[in-house]
Amino acid sequence: MRIPSPIKRFMPDGFISGILLMILLARLIPGIGHEGSFIELSLLIKGGIGLLFFFYGLKLSPENLKKDLSNWRLHLLIQLITFLVFPLLLLVFYPFFKESEQEILWLAVFFLAALPSTVSSSVVMVSIAGGNIPSAIFNASISGVIGILLTPAWMGIFLDQQAEAFAFSEVIRDLVIQILIPVTIGLFMHRYWGSWANRHKQRISLFDKSVILAIVYRSFSDSFTNGIFSSIPASALLVLSGGVIALFFVVFEGTKWLTGLMHFDREDRITVLFCGSKKSLVHGSVMVGVLFAGSTLGSLFLVPVMIYHAFQLFYISLVARKYSLEIPYQQQHSQR
């Protein structure tokens, strides 16, 4: 069976391969662009994050976002799942990990749970499955904006106790300078440069990915240099992978049950299911670059995000394909 090209595009591809190559490079040649170098990688990353979120705001259309506000039940449910249900599921297990050697691994998974949903892949998968595309666009877009505030807020509950890894006042400052101000300027400039951003979205996407690859390299380079992973046994990483995949299925199946209970129609159920269960590797990488800019723990917090990201794309692409086969032939062609 031939996989439709949109699904193939968002399955593990060149971008995922690039991330793995950056991890390998960090293992073999750590320290490229270290502090004191002619070109410091940390400074390039800070500037890149600012531009990344400027372009993100530039591509958002305030008019389109306003149009879909009437479907408030769907939007509220998706955001509650993304920013409340996910973290609460992890908080239930916190007493079992508190003040233990595995607390840092729990915190890494909690970071995953606090992240916003994906943007591009959510919309594409909803489109393939025959869901509510305008609502998918709205929620994928607004999720990233909400995450700018809520993800650091959730993490601050636990990380402000670890002064070496997290200085909350400095994080808030960097958050405002590198993310909040650029995305606000981008939103304001959409009316002037929005069409330009849409014409060059492939180049902007390439720039975004380049910034993320630089963040991944620097995070893992610092960790390998300081021996972060040498203290974590392979069995713990295996359990971590199993826990992350279990989290996905709990949210995915729970969301499916909840949308049926709330009597959403087929299109809205698909949209809630796909947008509410996904987590963004892009935002996760960027947040690591901001929240853990002065720490060697950044790469550790990326591990659950990468596992979840790869699995969600694989599994949801299969589900999207299954749903697409249920769409009547005429309806499929009317959506093109």
Side-chain angles (χ1 to χ4, degrees):
M1 184 181 294
R2 186 177 180 182
I3 298 175
S5 58
I7 292 180
K8 187 177 179 181
R9 180 182 174 187
F10 286 98
M11 291 180 69
D13 54 10
F15 181 46
I16 301 297
S17 300
I19 289 176
L20 295 176
L21 284 174
M22 288 298 103
I23 297 173
L24 179 62
L25 181 63
R27 183 69 181 91
L28 297 176
I29 315 175
I32 297 175
H34 58 80
E35 188 176 350
S37 300
F38 178 71
I39 299 178
E40 293 187 16
L41 190 57
S42 61
L43 295 178
L44 291 179
I45 289 173
K46 286 183 179 181
I49 290 173
L51 281 174
L52 186 153
F53 274 92
F54 168 74
F55 289 135
Y56 181 74
L58 199 61
K59 290 183 290 184
L60 288 177
S61 171
E63 292 77 16
N64 290 340
L65 294 178
K66 289 177 183 177
K67 288 179 183 177
D68 206 50
L69 281 174
S70 59
N71 200 355
W72 64 270
R73 279 206 320 155
L74 180 146
H75 305 321
L76 181 61
L77 180 59
I78 291 175
Q79 301 311 317
L80 284 176
I81 293 171
T82 301
F83 294 111
L84 189 61
V85 173
F86 264 102
L88 289 179
L89 284 173
L90 266 295
L91 284 175
V92 171
F93 295 94
Y94 182 60
F96 299 101
F97 294 91
K98 187 177 181 181
E99 298 179 357
S100 70
E101 294 181 356
Q102 287 74 39
E103 183 176 2
I104 190 66
L105 294 179
W106 176 89
L107 199 55
V109 181
F110 185 77
F111 172 67
L112 161 70
L115 288 174
S117 179
T118 57
V119 181
S120 301
S121 61
S122 289
V123 176
V124 170
M125 297 300 181
V126 167
S127 175
I128 292 169
N132 186 332
I133 298 174
S135 290
I137 294 172
F138 177 91
N139 281 281
S141 301
I142 204 67
S143 180
V145 176
I146 295 172
I148 292 172
L149 300 175
L150 288 190
T151 301
W154 270 119
M155 295 305 294
I157 296 174
F158 301 97
L159 291 178
D160 60 358
Q161 302 171 10
Q162 304 178 31
E164 181 183 351
F166 191 84
F168 196 71
S169 60
E170 294 180 10
V171 166
I172 294 299
R173 181 199 63 197
D174 291 342
L175 192 70
V176 171
I177 295 174
Q178 295 182 54
I179 297 180
L180 201 56
I181 292 176
V183 79
T184 302
I185 294 174
L187 277 167
F188 176 76
M189 298 301 294
H190 172 83
R191 62 190 303 179
Y192 306 107
W193 294 349
S195 58
W196 174 88
N198 287 324
R199 288 197 307 270
H200 296 85
K201 59 184 178 181
Q202 290 186 339
R203 293 181 179 178
I204 292 174
S205 176
L206 182 61
F207 171 79
D208 293 349
K209 291 175 181 177
S210 299
V211 173
I212 292 165
L213 291 178
I215 293 170
V216 170
Y217 170 79
R218 183 171 184 267
S219 297
F220 277 86
S221 176
D222 290 345
S223 293
F224 286 131
T225 301
N226 291 277
I228 295 297
F229 290 109
S230 62
S231 61
I232 303 174
S235 58
L237 290 176
L238 188 62
V239 172
L240 177 67
S241 300
V244 165
I245 293 173
L247 175 64
F248 170 85
F249 278 114
V250 168
V251 174
F252 191 83
E253 295 301 325
T255 300
K256 190 185 296 185
W257 172 81
L258 191 57
T259 53
L261 189 67
M262 297 178 68
H263 303 293
F264 281 107
D265 61 30
R266 182 184 184 279
E267 291 187 354
D268 285 354
R269 288 184 70 177
I270 289 172
T271 303
V272 175
L273 188 62
F274 285 13
C275 292
S277 63
K278 301 184 83 174
K279 290 292 180 177
S280 173
L281 174 61
V282 173
H283 286 87
S285 302
V286 173
M287 286 294 179
V288 162
V290 176
L291 297 178
F292 304 100
S295 171
T296 58
L297 296 175
S299 60
L300 181 60
F301 281 75
L302 276 177
V303 172
V305 183
M306 289 190 291
I307 295 170
Y308 192 96
H309 178 81
F311 184 80
Q312 73 182 4
L313 289 181
F314 166 74
Y315 188 79
I316 291 183
S317 66
L318 297 179
V319 176
R321 174 62 176 165
K322 177 185 175 182
Y323 283 151
S324 71
L325 297 176
E326 298 173 356
I327 305 173
Y329 179 83
Q330 292 182 348
Q331 184 179 348
Q332 289 189 48
H333 285 264
S334 67
Q335 291 177 352
R336 294 180 180 176

